[in-house]
Amino acid sequence: MIFLSLFLSFFQIGLFSFGGGYAALPLIEQELIHAQGWITNQQFIDILTLSEMTPGPIAINAATFSGNQIAGVFGGIIATVGVTLPSVIIVQIMAYFYFKYQNLTVVQGIIQGLRPAVVALIASAGVTIFMTAMFGRSSWPVDIAEINWISVVFFAVGLFLMRKYKASPIQVILITGLAGGIVYSLL
Amino acid sequence: MEKKELYLTLFRSTFFLSMFTFGGGYVIVPLMEKKFVNELGWINEDEMLNLIALGQSAPGPIAVNTSILIGYRMAGVPGAMITVLGTILPPLGIMTVLAYVYLAVRDNAIVNNVLLGMQAGVAAIIVNVVYNMAMRIIKQKKIIPILVMIAALIAGIIFQVNILWLLLVSALIGLAMTLYNLKMKKDEGDIK
């Protein structure tokens, strides 16, 4: 039953993504690409690209979009509800205790402990995204001859714009998209 | 204030913030703060900062979490339901439409070229995010978080360890450190 597994996958993604939208990426990769085989690396990057470009929380955007890709409109709704439900339950329980005791030292201590691991996990999803963008795939080993040099240049320009001129993600996406539309079409 | 009016304002505020704010939770949350603290004056600054910290401590998208906290603070469980709906309905609508546009145009040569260019941009964004987050951990100059980060990196990338195990182990380390720090503080207090 596709809708049930879709719901469970996204419930799990919502339940274990600590630290906002980017923290959901490694879980989306593990669940949707590797465990279920519902989407490809390319689709994964497209989902992230479109989620960054549209308004709203990135994780919700990604859930609705991938749910739609996997199982149509109803799939999109199921995925969105699935990814939101853990928040609805857990945040209200935390809020109840917070307003009662005004103290969540232990909970926040655990989260502090999670943060370095979350950074590492996002980095690991980042490797997949980087390899796919540069080589068209993320499986090892890669042959340096397969590298897409135009991508390398776009990547370097994007990084430079963000670090030097504090360009926003959406600006970087629009610039590299425009450049891609021109450069690749002329080749 | 009448209840109906409160519900309506909660829904409208979260709906419009989610509908028109680009850049995800880290942009939406400060705008929520502006709306509920400065414009409506429903929540004071200090309490809002605590709610934001709380929202970041819970799993899930931080914009969703913060909206739930604001709704709960203002009108209990019904309030939370209203604000969470307000936050997720706009992306649900927009992304559903976009998913169909994407299906229709993905194979178009120019669209493909644009998306190919964007891939490199997204790769740069992720590398930048990871760099900023990692530097924040490194700058604290505490040995355990740095070791956890390196160990998780090796376990995740090279050994492909399941994410849930990595999270569980690092949460336990966080718990142990918190209890240890609390005990040290308590002992210090006892000596005094």
Side-chain angles (χ1 to χ4, degrees):
Chain A
M1 172 74 180
I2 181 79
F3 293 120
L4 184 62
S5 28
L6 197 60
F7 176 81
L8 292 175
S9 285
F10 277 93
F11 189 86
Q12 189 185 329
I13 292 167
L15 186 59
F16 294 106
S17 53
F18 289 89
Y22 291 112
L25 293 180
L27 289 152
I28 291 178
E29 185 194 357
Q30 175 172 299
E31 261 311 290
L32 304 194
I33 303 179
H34 301 307
Q36 307 285 357
W38 282 329
I39 59 170
T40 62
N41 280 340
Q42 291 289 347
Q43 281 175 306
F44 177 52
I45 301 193
D46 285 350
I47 288 167
L48 178 59
T49 309
L50 296 169
S51 303
E52 292 258 15
M53 280 174 67
T54 41
I58 293 172
I60 302 294
N61 292 347
T64 309
F65 192 84
S66 26
N68 258 289
Q69 294 291 302
I70 296 161
V73 176
F74 195 56
I77 296 171
I78 293 283
T80 309
V81 172
V83 86
T84 312
L85 204 56
S87 288
V88 173
I89 299 166
I90 293 170
V91 172
Q92 290 193 74
I93 293 173
M94 281 172 71
Y96 173 80
F97 283 106
Y98 173 75
F99 288 118
K100 206 165 170 187
Y101 302 107
Q102 300 283 323
N103 183 358
L104 286 169
T105 314
V106 174
V107 174
Q108 276 163 346
I110 295 174
I111 301 306
Q112 285 295 326
L114 279 177
R115 210 146 274 163
V118 170
V119 176
L121 293 174
I122 300 173
S124 124
V127 170
T128 305
I129 291 165
F130 180 81
M131 297 304 288
T132 309
M134 298 303 130
F135 294 95
R137 63 191 168 87
S138 70
S139 51
W140 299 93
V142 289
D143 183 350
I144 193 76
E146 289 176 50
I147 200 164
N148 177 347
W149 288 105
I150 299 172
S151 256
V152 176
V153 173
F154 286 4
F155 170 83
V157 170
L159 203 56
F160 177 75
L161 290 175
M162 278 183 292
R163 301 235 50 102
K164 174 95 189 184
Y165 296 104
K166 305 252 178 278
S168 70
I170 199 157
Q171 287 168 329
V172 170
I173 290 178
L174 290 177
I175 290 170
T176 50
L178 183 68
I182 297 169
V183 174
Y184 289 117
S185 303
L186 290 177
L187 284 178
Chain B
M1 191 175 355
E2 219 183 310
K3 226 173 196 165
K4 217 172 109 189
E5 202 183 312
L6 172 68
Y7 289 162
L8 203 65
T9 313
L10 281 174
F11 183 78
R12 220 175 4 210
S13 308
T14 47
F15 186 88
F16 283 114
L17 281 175
S18 184
M19 180 97 191
F20 295 111
T21 312
F22 291 86
Y26 288 103
V27 185
I28 298 176
V29 169
L31 291 175
M32 282 179 173
E33 184 181 351
K34 197 169 153 236
K35 181 86 200 170
F36 289 95
V37 176
N38 304 343
E39 284 172 34
L40 294 170
W42 285 356
I43 299 173
N44 74 41
E45 186 77 52
D46 285 343
E47 189 174 15
M48 189 70 199
L49 290 179
N50 286 337
L51 292 185
I52 293 172
L54 201 56
Q56 293 185 348
S57 306
I62 59 170
V64 172
N65 294 351
T66 312
S67 74
I68 292 172
L69 286 166
I70 291 171
Y72 187 89
R73 161 73 176 71
M74 296 308 304
V77 175
M81 294 303 156
I82 287 170
T83 48
V84 75
L85 269 183
T87 305
I88 67 171
L89 282 179
L92 190 57
I94 295 170
M95 296 311 281
T96 302
V97 173
L98 192 61
Y100 282 86
V101 177
Y102 172 84
L103 276 183
V105 302
R106 184 63 180 94
D107 295 328
N108 175 291
I110 292 180
V111 172
N112 190 45
N113 291 342
V114 170
L115 284 170
L116 199 57
M118 286 176 167
Q119 275 186 11
V122 167
I125 290 166
I126 294 296
V127 168
N128 193 40
V129 165
V130 169
Y131 177 81
N132 288 338
M133 292 177 94
M135 283 317 283
R136 226 171 290 153
I137 305 268
I138 292 167
K139 275 186 188 149
Q140 289 176 351
K141 296 208 171 113
K142 285 187 197 147
I143 188 76
I144 294 178
I146 295 175
L147 284 179
V148 169
M149 185 164 72
I150 295 169
L153 206 55
I154 295 169
I157 295 179
I158 299 176
F159 297 105
Q160 311 266 320
V161 174
N162 192 300
I163 292 171
L164 305 191
W165 285 111
L166 291 177
L167 289 175
L168 182 68
V169 171
S170 55
L172 289 176
I173 294 173
L175 177 65
M177 280 169 62
T178 312
L179 295 179
Y180 178 77
N181 287 340
L182 284 176
K183 191 175 174 298
M184 292 302 279
K185 257 189 213 157
K186 192 169 163 284
D187 288 352
E188 265 173 40
D190 288 348
I191 292 165
K192 277 174 198 164

